Amino acid sequence: PADAPISAERLSADVRTLASTPFGGRAPGTPGEAKTVEWLIAQFKAAGLEPGGENGGWVQSVPLIRTRTGEGPITANGMAWTAGRDVYLST
């Protein structure tokens, strides 16, 4: 029920579960993410919640975009720069 007291033991157990080795770090696009999503959905169902995602589902599509700087020389205004020493680049 919505007015049930919050259980420190339950929260601790949930955090231990999600942080455990079988969940593999939970990073996006990994088997650990899929396992985490399945676990969360099971918890939502057990709490009596209803899905509100796309097409009546529990989840929604979110494009994963990853960028990173390339290797090699950096030149600006005719000057050579060394990443990490002369300039810091981040995405």
Side-chain angles (χ1 to χ4, degrees):
D3 61 350
I6 295 173
S7 164
E9 293 80 18
R10 168 74 190 272
L11 288 174
S12 181
D14 289 348
V15 169
R16 278 195 305 276
T17 296
L18 290 169
S20 67
T21 300
F23 284 80
R26 305 168 314 278
T30 67
E33 177 195 28
K35 185 173 183 75
T36 300
V37 170
E38 290 174 16
W39 185 87
L40 289 170
I41 290 171
Q43 300 305 305
F44 294 155
K45 287 179 179 179
L49 300 177
E50 295 181 10
E54 296 173 348
N55 303 313
W58 287 97
V59 297
Q60 65 185 32
S61 296
V62 177
L64 179 61
I65 300 171
R66 179 176 182 224
T67 59
R68 62 182 196 188
T69 58
E71 300 291 325
I74 302 165
T75 305
N77 295 329
M79 296 180 62
W81 301 81
T82 300
R85 185 187 76 203
D86 304 319
V87 64
Y88 173 76
L89 303 172
S90 179
T91 60

